[in-house]
Amino acid sequence: MAVPFATLFDMCIKSLTMAECNAEPWEGRALSDRIDPRITRTTRAFEEAIVELAGRRPVSQITIGELADLAGVTRATFYNRYSSPLDLLIQVLHADLERGHRLEAARRAQGDSAPRLLRLATAEVADHVERYLPIYRHALADPADSGCTRRSCATSATTRWISWPPAITGCCPRPTVR
C-alpha cells in the first residue's frame, strides 16, 4: 500500500533539524535531494523564534500562536512540523549539542589525544550552556519545563554550571587547547 503524499511530506518536514537545513554543499546532489529554501527559511524562523521566546520566559508559557507570529508563519505550519513548543526547543538544543559531537568525532578521526578531546568536548558543552543560559535557567526554575533539561543535556555538571549566578558565568577562563 502506497503512503499518501501528505503523510510523506509531513514525515520529511518533521525530520528536518537545524543542522540538516544548514547542511551544504548542494553541488553533486540530485535536485530531488535538495531542500526547498522556503522550508529552510521556515525552519530557521521557528528555531530563532523559540530561542528568543524561551530566553524570556519558560517554554511551558509560550503559545503556538505567539511562536508562529514571531516566526512570521501560520499556526498550521507549526503543527505540520512540531507537536509543541517544547518539542521544537528540544530539537534546537539537541541539534546544537550534536554539532559538538560531530566536531569531536572529526577530531578523534584526526588522531587528537584523549585529554585534548576531553578538554574540547567540555568546552563545547560549556559554550552550549552559555549560549542558551536563559533557557536553561527558566527550565530549571519551572517544573513544567523539566523536559527541556531532562531530554537534552541534563547532567550534574551542566546543572551546576547553569545554577551559577549571572555575575560568575563570565569570570572563569575557558580551557586552553594545547
Side-chain angles (χ1 to χ4, degrees):
M1 181 174 153
V3 178
F5 175 76
T7 304
L8 283 174
F9 183 76
D10 285 346
M11 287 170 33
C12 292
I13 295 297
K14 288 180 181 179
S15 70
L16 291 177
T17 64
M18 187 173 187
E20 291 169 332
C21 288
N22 294 332
E24 295 284 339
W26 296 109
E27 298 84 32
R29 292 176 64 182
L31 185 59
S32 62
D33 291 344
R34 295 182 185 171
I35 299 171
D36 187 327
R38 295 170 294 183
I39 294 171
T40 303
R41 282 191 301 270
T42 301
T43 302
R44 193 169 292 138
F46 274 130
E47 290 169 348
E48 290 170 1
I50 192 65
V51 168
E52 182 177 332
L53 290 171
R56 291 188 215 155
R57 64 180 176 280
V59 70
S60 61
Q61 297 174 8
I62 297 171
T63 67
I64 292 170
E66 68 184 331
L67 183 59
D69 286 345
L70 186 59
V73 295
T74 65
R75 289 175 46 199
T77 304
F78 178 87
Y79 286 116
N80 283 336
R81 291 168 169 75
Y82 312 102
S83 60
S84 69
L86 179 61
D87 177 46
L88 170 58
L89 182 59
I90 288 170
Q91 285 184 30
V92 170
L93 297 175
H94 183 74
D96 190 66
L97 288 169
E98 281 300 312
R99 183 186 55 79
H101 290 305
R102 285 192 305 276
L103 288 171
E104 180 185 355
R107 290 174 182 140
R108 185 178 297 119
Q110 293 172 353
D112 281 0
S113 68
R116 177 177 160 82
L117 287 171
L118 178 61
R119 282 192 302 272
L120 292 171
T122 303
E124 285 293 327
V125 171
D127 287 343
H128 167 84
V129 171
E130 191 170 6
R131 268 191 304 278
Y132 298 104
L133 187 60
I135 294 170
Y136 283 116
R137 286 206 175 165
H138 289 301
L140 289 173
D142 187 354
D145 286 354
S146 63
C148 183
T149 54
R150 188 173 348 112
R151 294 194 324 210
S152 78
C153 70
T155 63
S156 60
T158 304
T159 304
R160 273 185 258 129
W161 180 276
I162 295 166
S163 301
W164 288 358
I168 296 176
T169 56
C171 75
C172 301
R174 289 271 181 248
T176 55
V177 179
R178 296 180 191 181

